[in-house]
Amino acid sequence: MSTTVLFALTSHADLGRTGEPTGFHLGETVTPWRLLRAAGHRVEFVSVGGGMPPMIGHDPADPAQRAFLGRPDGGGALAVCPRPEEVDPQRYGAVYYVGGHGTMWDFRGHRGLRAIGAAVYENGGVVSAICHGPAALVDLRLAGGTPLVAGKELTAFPDDAEAARGLDTVVPFSLQSALEERGALFRRAPDRQPCVVVSERLVTGQNPQSAAGLGRSLVRLLGPAGAAGGLGDPAAADRPPVTRAARRRAYVPGGPPNRR
């Protein structure tokens, strides 16, 4: 059965006081979008502030990105994003918090994003996030007050990777530490290597290189829903499936070039 997956995007455009731009990461968006659409699932978008969100990670030479931006249900949908408060969380079988440094300023503690994640998870759906997108998970609590991440294995952009880029003093908080303080069991691969962790119905990716693995993990959890012509990932058929034994902690290769 086809599932509607909601992609949540940051609206924050400034990388602290560096004078550099930030926003949502296009590569982390396009790759899972293609895999979900190829499996027959629907994808919708929200941005924190509504409307077109600021974008990073754009590779004009990437044909998949060009195709996405040219589609009404891709780039066209980004231009008219509703705000999180304007959608009904009950409509979605999964939510995906897309990364980009901007999320460190407007994802954590956002009431609308928290409500969507809690509703999706408590309804038996899948919550997923990549790179800095897990900022949305830090203050996400379930009905009984327990943090969603408590006792679950997950990954995100780690502290040492932030420091290696000179951004540990730019971002407003340590993402890894904040998740660990909520009881998360933090897992990681070496910097710039793909790492996808599946813990029950929580799917997380460490970095842009993890986007393909995260997308495939979402498809496996949601199940195929039929073809969506022309959007398939031809290389996916050559990749080995993740075994049941690896479902709780899967390190999956694949993804676009790093933009961080």
Side-chain angles (χ1 to χ4, degrees):
M1 182 175 68
S2 178
T3 298
T4 301
V5 182
L6 184 67
F7 282 34
L9 310 173
T10 179
S11 292
H12 189 88
D14 301 313
L15 188 58
R17 298 180 179 178
T18 65
E20 297 294 325
T22 188
F24 82 94
H25 195 282
L26 184 61
E28 294 171 358
T29 305
V30 172
T31 302
W33 180 86
R34 283 174 54 83
L35 291 164
L36 288 162
R37 294 286 291 115
H41 300 293
R42 296 182 296 273
V43 175
E44 297 179 2
F45 300 92
V46 292
S47 61
V48 170
M52 184 70 186
M55 180 173 63
I56 60 169
H58 180 204
D59 181 359
D62 185 337
Q65 291 191 12
R66 290 201 307 270
F68 170 84
L69 292 173
R71 289 180 62 100
D73 56 351
L78 297 182
V80 292
C81 282
R83 294 182 296 110
E85 299 85 353
E86 296 172 338
V87 301
D88 178 6
Q90 307 298 324
R91 296 184 53 244
Y92 304 105
V95 60
Y96 172 42
Y97 298 108
V98 178
H101 270 98
T103 64
M104 295 291 286
W105 279 267
D106 65 2
F107 266 23
R108 182 177 181 177
H110 188 279
R111 183 175 298 180
L113 294 180
R114 290 202 320 259
I116 291 168
V120 167
Y121 198 83
E122 290 174 336
N123 287 339
V126 179
V127 172
S128 59
I130 194 168
C131 205
H132 290 87
L137 306 179
V138 173
D139 294 327
L140 202 169
R141 295 178 180 269
L142 302 177
T146 302
L148 172 66
V149 302
K152 292 185 177 66
E153 294 183 341
L154 56 69
T155 190
F157 203 67
D159 285 349
D160 62 347
E162 205 78 85
R165 291 155 178 78
L167 295 175
D168 55 319
T169 58
V170 173
V171 294
F173 64 96
S174 160
L175 180 55
Q176 177 179 342
S177 297
L179 292 166
E180 290 175 330
E181 288 168 4
R182 296 294 191 266
L185 307 175
F186 198 87
R187 304 292 183 249
R188 56 158 303 162
D191 194 18
R192 303 183 190 275
Q193 296 301 309
C195 174
V196 175
V197 179
V198 180
S199 186
E200 299 175 7
R201 289 177 286 108
L202 176 65
V203 182
T204 49
Q206 179 175 321
N207 47 30
Q209 289 89 345
S210 306
L214 181 142
R216 292 194 295 272
S217 294
L218 277 174
V219 169
R220 277 191 293 271
L221 286 174
L222 296 174
L231 293 172
D233 177 6
D238 298 326
R239 298 176 184 133
V242 174
T243 64
R244 288 187 179 182
R247 283 171 66 90
R248 282 188 58 82
R249 181 180 176 187
Y251 295 87
V252 186
N258 193 16
R259 300 300 175 201
R260 292 192 178 84

